[in-house]
Amino acid sequence: MHTVLAGGVGAARYLLGALEAFDPAEVTAVVNVGDDITLHGLSISPDLDTCTYTLAGAIDPERGWGLVDESWQAMAELGRYGGESWFSLGDRDIGTHLYRTHRLGQGATLTEVTAEITAAWGLRCRLLPVTDDRIETRLTLVDGGEIGFQEYFVRLRHDVEVSSVRFVGAGEAVATDAALAAITEADTVVIAPSNPVVSIGPLLAVGGVDDAIRARRERNVAVSPIIGGKALKGPADRLLRELGEESSVLGVARRYRDLAATLVIDDIDRDLSDEIEAIGMRVIAMPTIMSEPGVAAALARACHAAGGSR
Ligand code: GDP
Ligand code: CA
């Protein structure tokens, strides 16, 4: 089994490659839910949906989130009433949230609902929310105040300086049995090239996950989301700097050294290999910009070999 700790976009691209490289039945993603938000009474799980829509081939290619061929009539009507409209929900996407909200209201777990949603999209791999409990990523701003993740990411377009991040509810939340089994029973666990602070951070904060990952460090492989000192997209580079870490593959190595024995970095960062090895991780340098599935599939094969062979 090939298990991936997953946020949104970076993880979804990696998973596309894993599906090309392996039997889909052997691929499992344990997905962050710290970004989840309730808006207009709807339960929204952005990272789960980004993974689902991407793997279904239905993600909007330009925006990188939401469904292709969207229309926005519901949002327009919401605007008419003065409803909160900073978080765009397409008409098609709303169908997913209606279904999820209804099923959760009936008492289904997020794990069960996610299985139903992914089956309906024809996914042949498993997507598992890390927990069925609520956790919420919150960020304290240098200018004062604390905001939720989507307010930071979407409403303020992450154009504000952050002084700290916390995961509300993570202390009480427990990983699902399915998520823990996917970690402990995998040949290789891959920490996807997702945001280390706000995608992988909340996953590890859920009860049981960090211990389960550390216990099998030798067979875990992390892929750096930082390439040439920068995030390809989003605030991962800035968040690392704002929290006093380094926005480079070395910063990523320091964060992951106790969690994974191997770090995959982009060719462009190859010169830093010795310094990473001095931090205590083995290094694989190869193309990691997954602009096409072939690159992602090669990346997945390299990760699997690095983890599973030990
Ligand atoms: P979000 O939840 O949608 O913000 O997505 P993630 O946390 O999964 O991913 C955001 C991170 O993925 C950013 O730091 C990007 O640099 C990284 N990323 C996105 N695409 C790629 C890629 O093709 N290769 C690598 N190495 N990183 C990527
Ligand atoms: Ca996310």
Side-chain angles (χ1 to χ4, degrees):
M1 189 178 17
H2 188 83
T3 295
V4 183
L5 300 191
V9 174
R13 287 170 139 194
Y14 177 89
L15 285 165
L16 269 183
L19 291 188
E20 193 179 306
F22 314 123
D23 174 359
E26 293 291 313
V27 176
T28 301
V30 175
V31 184
N32 173 41
V33 294
D35 299 9
D36 289 15
I37 185 170
T38 303
L39 277 174
H40 323 297
L42 298 176
S43 299
I44 301 167
S45 296
D47 283 350
L48 282 167
D49 289 345
T50 294
C51 289
T52 302
Y53 296 165
T54 301
L55 299 181
I59 196 93
D60 184 286
E62 263 98 64
R63 279 181 279 116
W65 54 268
L67 285 161
V68 72
D69 297 330
E70 266 297 6
S71 53
W72 306 91
Q73 300 205 47
M75 285 313 281
E77 295 310 321
L78 196 62
R80 182 198 300 275
Y81 306 120
E84 252 187 307
S85 59
W86 55 269
F87 193 90
S88 299
L89 295 169
D91 297 334
R92 298 187 67 198
D93 190 30
I94 285 172
T96 304
H97 311 315
L98 287 172
Y99 181 75
R100 179 187 294 117
T101 306
H102 176 65
R103 291 287 293 126
L104 291 173
Q106 287 180 325
T109 64
L110 185 59
T111 299
E112 290 165 344
V113 183
T114 302
E116 292 164 5
I117 290 172
T118 55
W121 280 103
L123 263 53
R124 291 182 301 139
C125 63
R126 282 191 309 163
L127 299 189
L128 302 173
V130 61
T131 179
D132 285 326
D133 302 326
R134 281 289 298 151
I135 67 165
E136 198 190 344
T137 298
R138 295 186 65 81
L139 304 99
T140 303
L141 304 182
V142 169
D143 290 343
E146 190 187 54
I147 55 175
F149 178 79
Q150 298 302 345
E151 285 174 272
Y152 167 74
F153 197 77
V154 179
R155 190 167 68 80
L156 301 175
R157 298 195 171 78
H158 47 77
D159 195 15
V160 284
E161 209 180 325
V162 169
S163 59
S164 66
V165 176
R166 66 185 184 121
F167 310 112
V168 177
E172 301 81 53
V174 286
T176 65
D177 291 343
L180 281 182
I183 291 168
T184 54
E185 290 165 18
D187 300 302
T188 302
V189 170
V190 175
I191 302 178
S194 288
N195 189 313
V197 179
V198 292
S199 291
I200 303 301
L203 272 169
L204 296 169
V206 169
V209 177
D210 193 76
D211 287 345
I213 292 290
R214 279 168 196 262
R216 48 162 299 144
R217 176 185 185 272
E218 273 302 299
R219 292 179 296 138
N220 300 339
V221 180
V223 181
S224 177
I226 302 291
I227 298 179
K230 295 199 184 77
L232 285 185
K233 224 185 144 197
D237 45 7
R238 280 207 345 261
L239 275 176
L240 284 171
R241 278 197 300 275
E242 288 166 6
L243 298 180
E245 300 172 48
E246 197 176 309
S247 164
S248 72
V249 290
L250 295 173
V252 175
R254 289 195 188 98
R255 222 172 221 262
Y256 290 155
R257 57 185 286 178
D258 295 334
L259 304 168
T262 306
L263 181 65
V264 181
I265 61 173
D266 196 83
D267 269 332
I268 203 175
D269 291 311
R270 187 180 284 276
D271 290 353
L272 295 169
S273 299
D274 289 348
E275 283 181 72
I276 296 169
E277 277 165 10
I279 288 170
M281 295 180 89
R282 282 185 288 270
V283 180
I284 297 174
M286 64 184 294
T288 69
I289 298 181
M290 299 175 284
S291 39
E292 50 195 89
V295 174
L299 186 57
R301 283 192 196 97
C303 288
H304 197 76
S309 62
R310 291 174 212 289

